[in-house]
Amino acid sequence: RVGPTDSGWHFYWASVQTVRQLFSAESGVRLGDNQLVNHFPNHYELTRKDLMVKNIKRYRRDVERMLAEAAAAGHPMGSLEDHPQLDFLPTTYLLPADYTLFVEEFRRSPSGMWIMKPTSKAQGVGIFIISKLTQIKRWANTKANEGREAYVISRYIDRPLLLGGKKFDLRIYALVTSYQPLRVHVHRGGFARFATHRYTNDVMNIDNEYVHLTNVAVQKRSEEYNERHGGKWDLDNPRLHLESVRGTAAVDALFENIGWVIVHSLKACQAVVVSDRHCFECYGYDIMIDETLKPWLIEVNASPSLSASTEADRELKTRLISDIIDLVVPPDFAHAGRANPGKRPATRGPGD
């Protein structure tokens, strides 16, 4: 069994914990020319919810400053409002740090709903929706007793696009092979993840996770969960359906805007992610679409699940892994792996 500190491997599909160990100063590991690993050293700049928000907000400020400087120099490029593709993140604050700012925003529109998520958890763990400030205060008192954990709180998209009366989001895969320069490949495959209960924004159902959350880990606990299709729909199916009801031009624009969400989110952390030439990253983007066909970035996953819950899921993820390897492994990789003729190069697979 090959470990991260061993030198006899060439391709390592590692967990984020293993990569943290691999790139730690204490490990003393220096990757060779013929070694590849599937995470950048500080990939979490995009995949930790609080850092993602911080980087995207900074990026928007930088773009706004650039537009102002261009206008002052006599080369107007419009304002931030003239670039709607930059508006892809719901209004979000970090708690407890931004509590005062959040309260000010909440009081401007007190009838709205907000969704709270722990910054470093996944699969729907710890998520809940609030519609009153008293709910935040109860949460804060509870957390004070349990030990404070940072959360992000975002304006809830309470008018999502529905299919069959149910809420869904899209899982899109993006492969980054370099941050400097930025090189990204968006996979044609993907899927929609559906809630099992019909959607309502009635505050009486605010705690029903089977209405509001699309995470498979959550929905599979529902009595309505269908193991045959796993609550998923191949990406081509919602696209074809939307083309039939909204028109091809509108849906083409939607998917182009999703592409811009991916590009701008990556550019937002381009300056802070260490672009190690031994690394690549397959990100799992979760995109919500509202009823106007506007895409919103919900979160980005560093280790999107490659386990299969259905046959269609298995086929998709097999293609995904194969395409990733085809793109990141150089043509002479097999030859380079024969540097030690007496030993077959070791590889590690998904799941570490």
Side-chain angles (χ1 to χ4, degrees):
R1 183 174 174 85
V2 178
T5 57
D6 296 324
S7 60
W9 57 269
H10 291 270
F11 184 92
Y12 206 138
W13 196 296
S15 67
V16 293
Q17 293 81 10
T18 297
V19 168
R20 190 179 301 119
Q21 177 187 352
L22 186 67
F23 285 108
S24 68
E26 294 77 16
S27 73
V29 173
R30 296 293 180 269
L31 297 184
D33 290 341
N34 298 312
Q35 291 182 305
L36 293 170
V37 65
N38 66 317
H39 292 291
F40 288 94
N42 58 335
H43 58 84
Y44 46 79
E45 292 286 348
L46 182 60
T47 57
R48 259 190 64 127
K49 299 176 184 70
D50 53 341
L51 296 179
M52 179 190 78
V53 169
K54 180 191 74 173
N55 288 321
I56 290 174
K57 285 184 175 181
R58 185 189 62 239
Y59 176 68
R60 282 174 55 87
R61 289 195 301 269
D62 290 346
V63 171
E64 195 167 21
R65 184 169 58 251
M66 180 195 70
L67 294 175
E69 291 171 353
H75 305 290
M77 300 169 62
S79 66
L80 212 57
E81 288 71 26
D82 297 315
H83 299 269
Q85 70 271 26
L86 289 167
D87 179 28
F88 57 85
L89 187 71
T91 302
T92 303
Y93 298 96
L94 179 63
L95 296 182
D98 296 335
Y99 179 74
T100 302
L101 294 173
F102 162 70
V103 171
E104 291 177 4
E105 182 67 26
F106 182 93
R107 286 176 173 159
R108 292 190 189 102
S109 180
S111 61
M113 296 195 298
W114 295 76
I115 185 165
M116 293 192 61
K117 303 176 183 180
T119 58
S120 55
K121 295 231 169 46
Q123 298 185 329
V125 174
I127 296 177
F128 61 97
I129 300 170
I130 66 116
S131 60
K132 298 178 181 178
L133 282 178
T134 53
Q135 294 168 294
I136 289 279
K137 292 174 181 176
R138 283 200 299 269
W139 167 82
N141 291 335
T142 301
K143 287 297 169 187
N145 295 329
E146 293 179 355
R148 190 63 60 92
E149 179 181 11
Y151 267 64
V152 293
I153 185 165
S154 302
R155 189 178 295 280
Y156 186 65
I157 301 168
D158 60 355
R159 293 186 178 275
L161 181 67
L162 305 178
L163 290 178
K166 296 177 180 179
K167 184 178 176 180
F168 71 97
D169 68 3
L170 300 182
R171 166 58 59 86
I172 308 289
Y173 297 102
L175 172 68
V176 176
T177 55
S178 169
Y179 272 96
Q180 300 291 344
L182 180 61
R183 296 193 186 98
V184 56
H185 308 262
V186 179
H187 201 261
R188 288 191 176 91
F191 52 85
R193 306 182 301 179
F194 285 83
T196 51
H197 290 195
R198 293 181 69 85
Y199 179 75
T200 173
N201 57 10
D202 189 327
V203 294
M204 298 300 292
N205 284 284
I206 202 171
D207 295 325
N208 190 337
E209 59 186 0
Y210 305 133
V211 169
H212 295 287
L213 304 184
T214 57
N215 310 71
V216 175
V218 170
Q219 294 298 330
K220 69 193 310 181
R221 299 196 297 263
S222 169
E223 293 181 358
E224 304 295 325
Y225 180 74
N226 187 316
E227 293 188 356
R228 182 175 58 82
H229 55 64
K232 298 176 182 177
W233 212 11
D234 184 273
L235 192 58
D236 288 339
N237 290 320
R239 180 162 190 160
L240 289 171
H241 173 77
L242 290 175
E243 287 176 353
S244 70
V245 296
R246 297 291 188 101
T248 301
V251 177
D252 285 347
L254 165 64
F255 279 86
E256 180 179 350
N257 288 334
I258 290 174
W260 281 115
V261 169
I262 294 170
V263 169
H264 285 304
S265 64
L266 292 170
K267 289 178 71 175
C269 60
Q270 184 179 16
V272 293
V273 172
V274 177
S275 187
D276 192 301
R277 64 189 178 86
H278 303 93
C279 303
F280 64 94
E281 191 100 31
C282 177
Y283 293 109
Y285 275 76
D286 292 340
I287 305 288
M288 186 73 64
I289 306 168
D290 69 21
E291 61 183 9
T292 70
L293 294 191
K294 179 179 176 60
W296 295 95
L297 177 60
I298 303 303
E299 62 183 59
V300 185
N301 298 274
S303 295
S305 172
L306 295 176
S307 61
S309 56
T310 67
E311 180 60 24
D313 213 21
R314 185 191 65 79
E315 292 176 1
L316 165 64
K317 290 170 180 177
T318 299
R319 290 196 307 271
L320 174 66
I321 295 169
S322 177
D323 290 342
I324 289 171
I325 293 174
D326 286 344
L327 280 166
V328 303
V329 175
D332 60 346
F333 192 72
H335 175 74
R338 298 191 186 99
N340 184 348
K343 184 177 182 181
R344 183 180 177 182
T347 61
R348 299 300 306 275
D352 203 18

